[in-house]
Amino acid sequence: MKLFKLFKINDNKGLSIVELLAAITVASLVVIGCGAFMVSASKYFSRESAETTMQEEAQLVKNLLNNVVVDTQLAIGRVTNWDADAADGTMVEPQPTLIVFGKEKIFFLGYDAADTQKMYYMEKDAKDVVNRVTLEGGGSKLDIDRTAVGAMKDWEPLADHLKDFTITLDRINKNARIFNCTMDFELRNRTYKTSHTITLRNNILDYNGDVAQIYSGNNTLDPTVTGVYITPSNIALPLDGDFKFESSVSGLNYPPQSVTWAVEGDGSVPLSTDTIIDEYGNLHISDMESCQSLKVTATSTFDPNYVGIAFVPIGSLNSLTLLPTAKAVPDDEGKYNLGQTVPFQAILQGKYVEDKSITINWSVTKLIFPAVGTEGSAGYQEEQIFQSFDDPDKGDVDGKAEIAKYVRLTANGAECSMYISPQARPGARITLQAIANMGGKTQTDNYTIEVSSKSAGDLILYTDGTELKRNGMLRVRATVIGFDNEEIEWSISNNYGGRVTMPAKSVSGQEIEIRANNALDYGQKYTFTLTAKAVASTNITEKTESRVITIKPVSISFKENPVYVVVGQPARVPVIVEGLEAGGQNATYRVMKYVRNLVSPYYANGNLVIAVTPPSGSQKLPDYQGSTIQATLKNVGTVTGNLSIHVFNSNIIIEGYNYCYVPVPGDKSGLFPASADNESLPTNGSTRTINGITYTYYVNDSVPSKTWGIMVDTPGGKTLRYLYKSGKFELVNK
């Protein structure tokens, strides 16, 4: 009632139009005010939440650094050339940012700037990651086993949203032990920057890649033997037998693997003088040996307290019998069908023949195809014999390869399965052989089976795949069982106006290739029917096969992503076009996301070429990332791919020049050596001219660690000095 009185509403008359509009207006103002308040509160909460998250992550990093850096016992170092000295010249993961060495533990801290912008952490026992490496010419050194360290992305995650992370160790020496790091975080358009300085408590080394310098004196990681093992540890061997044993020495810090071999009898009778083992572990048992068993030992030459033992009972291999197993099911004539698998077993007789170390070699020694048909008639074939030894008359350098076309063996110890291919002619005879070896003493047996001829005359089609791709090829082969050389007549339906084709000159023979051309539409499926018919044999039923042509969607990607573009220099990134066999050569490319000073990219020799022109005046280009590349492909249309383009900023603006580019070491500009180490620096005072600007090197050899940089004369007569420091050039005079 009060509401009605407020708007002077008569209960009997209802609301007028004016009164209703007034009520709606008041309600709208209330709703808008509440909505604005909620949006403002949500934005404020998002900003504060991002700020809190970044501060918490920064504190986690600081706490970890305090724990591992403050009480560092041996050494600490910022790593910049972890990949540079890989033994085989390849890139080695990970690329840690910081390594802290303790007497028992080594701590690794890594910052993934290029990919995830995350920080990772890992700790390892020093004995597990520091090993001893043999040097060329003799001697050894301690080194970090990077395989044991593992990839950085497999470490423990420590912080996210880290846009930049730098470490300064320049003041680590006996008098000033200062560690400083700077962290830049970015989350939801909010940034947070913080720095952390630590005063170290111990006199430590500045790690320069020399692990031996760190672990010296009482801290030397000398090899330690924990055991010696012989493989096999138990094997039966016959009289007059031979066998080679292998040894391995386990322990810490890669102990030497050399051992001293010895053999002794069981003590029942003296050991024969002809039973010996040489320095390489080759054992020979005399044919006059009277001992029932032998003991072979391998003693570590580094630590003789550790010995490996193998026991050798003296056995015999008296016979071998080869038979199909109970799972082999022949037909009522005792023959086997095409496409059937026949399992066999080798039955051994002798002493200790159950030992699994007895080796059995399986092979098909002979495959005989009988004469088929009547001589002079279509499809007639002479008898053919394939043997496992070389057959020069057939031009076969290895008869086993010829047999493998028709028979496949799968062996495991004393068991073997024989698969008879449908291409093996009916009536063929196959001889399987097994040779058992016990210390050089062998036993051999053969078994011959015959292939049933009941399926002769069947026509079988084989293909090398199930789908035909656009602009692709599908190979099809036909076999008439019992008539390997039978002429085949091919035909195809649903060729979609000639877009699915067979060879134009000849569509006969046992094998053809079917092709689909570029005229097929993308994103569609096509089905065609292939027919094969035996030409000479009228009693052979023709066969048809249906296959599907699948047109894959086209996509583009890039082998290098992101691509780093140095201002003023072209960058080439390989283009990968999926679903288009012809590649990307008929494509035009453009960048969908705006990047300042980026020249339109173009395709050349399999690469997308990208270039950024220098800015005008005294401007510098910022970094750009996350661009989308659009490609227009012939007969396809436009497709897109994501490519991060990072503008490499190492530009120095010099007074009087519109633009002066100074590359850092490693960018292949030719101004500086690729490794930028002290040994390969140029001579002090030498010059080099690039883009019309002369750079003069200055190298200071008077300090323990060399300092170096460049000098550039401005048109105004001033000489500017730039010091190379931590991967950057810093102006040291103005």
Side-chain angles (χ1 to χ4, degrees), residues 82-96 146-147 150:
W82 182 271
D83 298 332
D85 58 344
D88 57 356
T90 59
M91 298 294 285
V92 180
E93 283 287 342
Q95 175 75 31
R146 301 175 193 187
T147 302

Side-chain angles (χ1 to χ4, degrees), residues 217-240:
N218 295 331
N219 301 317
T220 300
L221 293 176
D222 289 328
T224 302
V225 176
T226 59
V228 178
Y229 304 93
I230 298 179
T231 304
S233 60
N234 193 312
I235 179 174
L237 296 174
L239 295 175
D240 197 24

